[in-house]
Amino acid sequence: MNKMIKLLPIALLVMAFTFSCKKSDPDPGPDTTAPTVEFTKPNADGTTKYSRGSSMDLDAVFKDDRALKSCTITISYNAAAPSTALKGIGTPWTPAEDGSQHVISFNGETEKEEKVAMLFDQEIEAACLAGSYTLKFVMLDKTDNKSEKLVDITIE
């Protein structure tokens, strides 16, 4: 019995060492998966229309397998719609003309729903050119894997 009592601390020490040396999570390896986005608004199919004098909103879910970093949104003017060729003063909406960016920063979440009431922090000018515009979403994860998504919209 005395020998068992003397061996008990050694046995406990061996068991503690054995369990502490096991890895709890295997190394997942390098992050090679780029982030993604799913839109509620604007519609990814290019059917979203915004009125001049209103704000452009965003409702989207951003995802990454490990950790989101940021999304940079820009807008470009494509062409006047045939029915609106003469509407507007003659210049596109200011963010499309001056290269403005709307940046969303993430805190390492793997999934984040983002709702923005006014992209580019300004209403669509009443006097801007109506027509076809393209929103460009450039997403990065924490290891700088990059993905891009283009969404066509119409300003009426």
Side-chain angles (χ1 to χ4, degrees):
M1 187 65 135
N2 263 347
K3 286 184 180 183
M4 284 182 116
I5 292 173
K6 288 180 182 178
L7 292 176
L8 186 60
I10 294 172
L12 290 173
L13 186 61
V14 169
M15 286 176 40
F17 180 74
T18 302
F19 288 115
S20 68
C21 289
K22 289 186 178 181
K23 287 186 175 182
S24 58
D25 292 325
D27 181 12
D31 183 4
T32 57
T33 304
T36 61
V37 64
E38 296 171 9
F39 297 99
T40 301
K41 189 164 188 181
N43 296 330
D45 64 4
T47 60
T48 304
K49 296 180 181 184
Y50 294 96
S51 299
R52 291 180 289 173
S54 69
S55 61
M56 183 177 292
D57 54 345
L58 169 71
D59 187 355
V61 176
F62 296 88
K63 296 179 183 178
D64 187 62
D65 64 328
R66 302 226 184 136
L68 292 163
K69 181 178 181 180
S70 66
C71 177
T72 302
I73 306 164
T74 56
I75 187 168
S76 59
Y77 176 72
N78 300 324
S83 63
T84 60
L86 300 176
K87 293 183 180 177
I89 286 183
T91 59
W93 183 28
T94 299
E97 188 149 83
D98 68 10
S100 292
Q101 297 181 341
H102 187 98
V103 179
I104 301 169
S105 295
F106 302 105
N107 293 318
E109 300 98 338
T110 57
E111 184 173 320
K112 174 77 171 160
E113 180 176 13
E114 194 67 34
K115 293 179 184 243
V116 178
M118 188 181 299
L119 282 175
F120 308 107
D121 298 322
Q122 61 181 284
E123 290 183 346
I124 301 168
E125 295 130 355
C128 75
L129 283 172
S132 171
Y133 289 77
T134 299
L135 290 168
K136 181 178 182 181
F137 295 79
V138 178
M139 296 154 291
L140 295 173
D141 67 9
K142 287 288 186 183
T143 56
D144 290 331
N145 290 316
K146 176 177 158 182
S147 65
E148 295 182 5
K149 180 81 172 182
L150 300 176
V151 178
D152 293 324
I153 56 125
T154 301
I155 295 178
E156 302 179 306

